[in-house]
Amino acid sequence: MKKYITLMLVFTAMLAQAQSKTLKAGEAAPDFKLKNVDNKEISFESYPKAKGFIVVFTCNTCPYAKAYEQRIIDLDKKFKPEGYPVIAINPNDPEASKADTFDKMQDLAKEKKYGFPYLFDQGQVVTDEYGAKHTPHLFVVSKTAKGTVVEYTGAIDNDPEGTKTEKTKYVEEVIAALKNNQKPAVTETKEIGCTVKRKAKA
């Protein structure tokens, strides 16, 4: 019995470690098919003409997510016409974060007039595949001959409080490099935000 419990603990630790690995630049970006707030399923294939994507794990509740909300909206307005649309995904389990239910997501998207999809990650499957840790946590993805590839992961910029007059706009610099067929100078930064909310284990 002790041996069984030990094996289960090791397996659980290994699973948690697997879930905690954040994708890095150069690694394949998994496609997904998740329900949008308009009840339609969205995947990378929904954008056949896109050159890449700005995948943002964000939520209704986190103060940092709220602080970055307008900047996420602005990123989509600026870069969707250039082939890099925003795809937002809520990584929080609604049982652990009551204000992150699908209904509440629909309300927020309508209130803020989101021009991009806001997807519900049932079971946090995509969250774990990408290794998203905080809200917001951002991945810039490009389409290549070998499939979708992560080009950058981390923060939108270096100004989570929104108080700096001069800021480093990581995502904009990454996309500018990609548009010039160059590799970004910075491929990883530390994301700043609230931890992803998970329901308690039984």
Side-chain angles (χ1 to χ4, degrees):
M1 186 67 179
K2 287 183 179 179
K3 185 177 180 181
Y4 172 77
I5 292 172
T6 301
L7 286 172
M8 284 301 296
L9 288 172
V10 169
F11 176 77
T12 302
M14 288 174 64
L15 182 61
Q17 186 176 11
Q19 290 177 339
S20 69
K21 181 183 178 296
T22 301
L23 293 179
K24 293 183 178 295
E27 295 185 313
D31 200 354
F32 43 77
K33 187 173 286 187
L34 297 176
K35 186 167 71 170
N36 186 22
V37 287
D38 64 0
N39 288 301
K40 296 178 181 178
E41 289 188 328
I42 295 291
S43 69
F44 289 155
E45 293 180 357
S46 303
Y47 299 85
K49 295 183 179 180
K51 299 173 184 176
F53 305 93
I54 303 169
V55 180
V56 184
F57 290 86
T58 188
C59 68
N60 291 18
T61 52
C62 173
Y64 290 98
K66 291 179 179 180
Y68 270 111
E69 186 172 51
Q70 187 58 51
R71 280 174 273 184
I72 293 169
I73 292 170
D74 291 343
L75 282 175
D76 186 63
K77 287 180 178 178
K78 182 172 182 176
F79 292 112
K80 181 161 59 180
E82 298 178 12
Y84 293 88
V86 163
I87 298 178
I89 300 173
N90 191 331
N92 286 343
D93 189 298
E95 290 187 32
S97 181
K98 302 300 183 184
D100 281 308
T101 64
F102 186 68
D103 288 346
K104 298 282 189 185
M105 289 172 59
Q106 289 178 311
D107 291 343
L108 179 64
K110 184 177 180 181
E111 176 191 346
K112 299 296 184 178
K113 297 181 173 62
Y114 284 178
F116 50 83
Y118 188 26
L119 309 181
F120 180 64
D121 187 13
Q122 179 72 42
Q124 300 175 306
V125 174
V126 178
T127 300
D128 290 339
E129 286 182 336
Y130 277 75
K133 295 291 194 308
H134 296 87
T135 50
H137 194 166
L138 188 141
F139 297 78
V140 176
V141 174
S142 65
K143 285 184 178 180
T144 74
K146 297 180 180 179
T148 47
V149 174
V150 175
E151 300 285 0
Y152 168 84
T153 175
I156 293 173
D157 56 37
N158 66 340
D159 186 19
E161 290 82 16
T163 57
K164 295 181 180 179
T165 53
E166 297 290 331
K167 65 185 73 176
T168 304
K169 298 180 179 181
Y170 302 124
V171 174
E172 294 198 22
E173 291 179 1
V174 167
I175 294 178
L178 295 175
K179 286 169 59 183
N180 288 322
N181 296 315
Q182 298 174 346
K183 283 296 180 183
V186 176
T187 59
E188 182 179 353
T189 61
K190 176 61 180 173
E191 74 285 354
I192 304 295
C194 307
T195 56
V196 170
K197 301 299 182 284
R198 299 178 180 275
K199 63 183 177 182
K201 300 292 184 183

